[in-house]
Amino acid sequence: MSDSANIPKDCIHLLLVDDEEGYVNVLANRLGKRGMDVAKAYCGADALQAVRSRDFDVVVLDLKMEDMDGLEVLQILKQLDKGMEVIMLTGHGSQAAARAGLEHGAFDYLTKPCELDELLDKIRDACVHKKNKKDQK
């Protein structure tokens, strides 16, 4: 996890969840260089623990992980924080499952590999959506 004491308050607090450690580490590094506060989790259980210990604006969640299915993690995340914006990230052949994620409250989904700019735009859109929902309350 990042050192939150050095993070500007207006930056996006993001949790990346994927069991492909190399992929998560590279992506976290690239997003961190673009001003995001990025935490990493390499399995569903670690993601749930991370969300219980601090607040995130957006979670980017892989669908297929060894310990838990991404849809199962999504449903628990939504129980923990209904306002949590979750972007599903899926590899080949699981777009139907990603669409199922939308039915369970995911903000959107992307397929791997995705362009960094596309992911950045989606994360920013999710943050704006979360802020707008919060402002309406």
Side-chain angles (χ1 to χ4, degrees):
M1 292 217 187
S2 61
D3 181 6
S4 60
N6 297 324
I7 304 298
K9 290 183 180 181
D10 60 343
C11 82
I12 295 172
H13 304 280
L14 176 73
L15 176 62
L16 287 177
V17 186
D18 196 311
D19 59 357
E20 296 178 50
E21 289 187 29
Y23 177 76
V24 170
N25 292 335
V26 168
L27 189 56
N29 187 37
R30 295 178 76 190
L31 292 170
K33 287 181 178 177
R34 284 154 180 85
M36 294 188 184
D37 169 31
V38 183
K40 302 176 277 188
Y42 303 116
C43 66
D46 288 349
L48 297 176
Q49 183 177 3
V51 168
R52 286 183 175 113
S53 65
R54 62 176 280 209
D55 293 329
F56 294 97
D57 297 309
V58 178
V59 175
V60 176
L61 175 64
D62 189 18
L63 265 173
K64 293 190 175 190
M65 295 177 285
E66 289 189 21
D67 68 332
M68 297 175 74
D69 179 81
L71 290 175
E72 181 182 1
V73 175
L74 169 66
Q75 291 172 2
I76 297 170
L77 289 175
K78 287 295 188 177
Q79 289 173 355
L80 294 172
D81 181 355
K82 289 183 169 99
M84 173 76 63
E85 297 297 349
V86 179
I87 299 168
M88 305 301 294
L89 189 60
T90 180
H92 304 291
S94 55
Q95 289 187 12
R99 283 190 289 271
L102 296 176
E103 295 172 6
H104 292 289
F107 176 75
D108 209 339
Y109 72 92
L110 293 169
T111 55
K112 290 180 188 174
C114 68
E115 295 293 325
L116 184 62
D117 287 340
E118 182 181 10
L119 178 59
L120 284 166
D121 288 344
K122 199 72 73 179
I123 292 168
R124 291 179 182 128
D125 289 349
C127 281
V128 168
H129 187 257
K130 180 177 181 175
K131 183 180 181 321
N132 288 342
K133 283 193 310 189
K134 189 175 180 179
D135 290 346
Q136 291 176 353
K137 289 183 179 179

